[in-house]
Amino acid sequence: MRIIAFEVREDEVKIFEQLKAEFQMEIVYVREALKEENAYQAAGFEGVTILAGSKLDKVLLNELKNYGVKYISTRSVGYNHIDLKYAKEIGLKISNAAYPPYSVADYTVMLMLMTLRHYKQALFRGNVNDYSLTGLQGREMRSLTVGIIGSGRIGTAVIKNLTGFGCRILVYDKNRSEAAEKMAEYVELDRIYRECDMISLHTPLLDSTYHMINRESIDRMQDQVILINCARGELMSLPDLIQGIESKKIGALGLDVVEQEDGIYHRDLRTDIITNRDMAYLRQFPNVIMTQHMAFYTEEAVESMVRLGVENLVQCINGEDCCFLL
Ligand code: NAD
């Protein structure tokens, strides 16, 4: 059996090599994301695995189909980089990697605490021997109402983490999770906006969730609300976040993802010109913490992402039951 893996990072290779031996298969590695220019490399492979930097639109999906590809696995939970509907139309099977939620859930709580305790400012000050306390007074989690939007695997794991802090937890999702229900109160979205001191997003990027955080929803929130996003940047309107920070309606932002991060995050751009102006502007505020889409990035999660990405393809190619998105 042979598969081809695109967007392979150095830290993934060891795991791919283990799986290669385990399944006695051949795996061809390509460092770059899959795009029209290099799709020819997939010719003759039934199975292709990618990460979220490979944007599989209609043109690319057609190209892959013509090269004989049948199965595509993304080694990510999110799948908004793939035109799933069209893939289904042309008979391509797509799977994602529902790896354990703990890496992102832990990171979410870290961003919550960092924003609450003004950690960015404290860290910056220490670097120039400024050990003053002015402006650094924080708040305790136990005195807050925290809102979780999306109670899937990650949202529920965040709620579990939060139970140790003793905060009041409200949650909104169209689908209720039995586990979340035991730890938090399900409410309508409007109550999340109106009552929460801190709101954390854990929904996929869908047409229905695109820019759900915008000027109008921010207006409905508590003054000095803290917003955390470890899901997808496009859930939030970047200009509206800037407006919220400038007007001091938003107290702090903890963002592991940002709108139009593609081509920027996961690269060393020290000597390049960054064209996402809004992102660069937002980053400079003292109460905005931004990281490079790395909430997932733990040894445990990467091991699982690569394993699931490969196993999904092996199962499909062997004609066994496998978990497709559509
Ligand atoms: P999941 O599918 O288990 O849960 C998503 C939940 O969102 C579901 O319960 C669903 O009902 C809910 N939902 C969908 N639309 C909604 C809406 N309009 N309002 C409220 N809830 C809605 O997914 P998950 O594993 O918990 O992951 C969530 C998202 O986190 C992924 O889609 C991905 O985009 C993101 N993610 C980010 C990172 C990172 O490194 N920053 C890593 C993994 C996943």
Side-chain angles (χ1 to χ4, degrees):
M1 185 186 302
R2 297 168 74 224
I3 64 166
I4 184 163
F6 286 86
E7 276 185 276
V8 176
R9 289 189 316 266
E10 199 48 50
D11 55 274
E12 292 182 305
V13 172
K14 197 174 78 187
I15 309 154
F16 271 117
E17 287 291 309
Q18 282 165 6
L19 293 162
K20 212 160 112 174
E22 193 177 318
F23 292 111
Q24 307 217 323
M25 66 195 297
E26 188 189 331
I27 304 178
V28 172
Y29 304 127
V30 182
R31 300 291 163 158
E32 294 76 36
L34 173 56
K35 33 188 182 281
E36 278 179 59
E37 301 82 68
N38 63 7
Y40 68 89
Q41 292 181 80
F45 289 91
E46 274 184 291
V48 172
T49 175
I50 58 165
L51 279 170
S54 300
K55 309 293 170 204
L56 303 196
D57 58 9
K58 288 190 175 69
V59 177
L60 192 43
L61 288 168
N62 275 330
E63 210 175 331
L64 293 170
K65 170 95 180 163
N66 292 337
Y67 283 129
V69 172
K70 290 184 183 161
Y71 312 108
I72 299 169
S73 75
T74 179
R75 307 190 294 285
S76 54
V77 178
Y79 44 82
N80 53 285
H81 52 292
I82 306 171
D83 188 338
L84 283 187
K85 204 163 148 253
Y86 189 70
K88 190 181 183 193
E89 255 173 67
I90 63 170
L92 282 173
K93 304 277 192 195
I94 313 284
S95 60
N96 70 336
Y99 57 93
Y102 312 110
S103 55
V104 183
D106 288 1
Y107 199 91
T108 302
V109 174
M110 181 190 78
L111 284 184
M112 287 176 168
L113 290 168
M114 285 172 79
T115 50
L116 262 185
R117 304 303 294 268
H118 308 285
Y119 186 68
K120 178 176 169 181
Q121 272 292 292
L123 189 70
F124 280 15
R125 286 186 198 183
N127 286 338
V128 291
N129 286 340
D130 172 357
Y131 303 111
S132 63
L133 285 176
T134 318
L136 299 186
Q137 192 170 44
R139 291 193 66 195
E140 293 169 23
M141 288 277 253
R142 63 197 297 276
S143 60
L144 303 184
T145 299
V146 180
I148 302 294
I149 303 182
S151 58
R153 296 162 65 257
I154 295 172
T156 299
V158 170
I159 293 172
K160 182 147 190 282
N161 283 348
L162 289 177
T163 53
F165 288 99
C167 46
R168 177 175 173 242
I169 310 169
L170 303 183
V171 54
Y172 168 74
D173 194 318
K174 288 175 285 184
N175 305 306
R176 284 175 178 236
S177 130
E178 243 179 73
E181 212 156 23
K182 291 190 183 121
M183 302 179 283
E185 184 189 350
Y186 273 95
V187 295
E188 286 307 309
L189 187 57
D190 189 56
R191 273 191 65 195
I192 298 274
Y193 291 152
R194 280 192 290 108
E195 294 181 30
C196 292
D197 303 288
M198 182 186 273
I199 298 173
S200 188
L201 304 179
H202 300 286
T203 70
L205 174 61
L206 307 165
D207 288 345
S208 59
T209 56
Y210 176 80
H211 279 189
M212 69 185 297
I213 303 301
N214 54 35
R215 191 176 286 224
E216 185 269 328
S217 52
I218 293 168
D219 277 349
R220 283 195 270 154
M221 295 176 193
Q222 293 275 323
D223 288 343
Q224 289 293 292
V225 65
I226 295 177
L227 300 177
I228 306 292
N229 188 358
C230 287
R232 283 290 179 268
E234 281 72 11
L235 300 179
M236 302 173 130
S237 155
L238 195 40
D240 292 356
L241 290 182
I242 291 172
Q243 203 271 335
I245 289 284
E246 285 180 334
S247 66
K248 300 192 177 157
K249 174 75 182 176
I250 295 176
L253 290 170
L255 308 177
D256 183 49
V257 288
V258 71
E259 189 166 20
Q260 294 187 357
E261 68 184 41
D262 289 336
I264 299 176
Y265 282 174
H266 301 179
R267 291 183 186 194
D268 180 351
L269 300 177
R270 273 177 291 185
T271 55
D272 270 312
I273 302 297
I274 298 201
T275 52
N276 187 337
R277 286 185 190 195
D278 282 346
M279 173 198 162
Y281 184 58
L282 187 63
R283 194 184 49 207
Q284 52 78 35
F285 290 109
N287 51 351
V288 176
I289 295 176
M290 287 166 72
T291 55
Q292 56 268 50
H293 198 147
M294 58 175 283
F296 72 98
Y297 198 47
T298 61
E299 283 178 25
E300 294 86 343
V302 171
E303 212 276 328
S304 176
M305 291 164 90
V306 176
R307 176 165 284 279
L308 289 167
V310 171
E311 280 180 352
N312 284 341
L313 293 180
V314 169
Q315 284 166 1
C316 294
I317 294 168
N318 283 340
E320 295 162 16
D321 273 351
C322 40
C323 168
F324 295 124
L325 282 166
L326 269 179

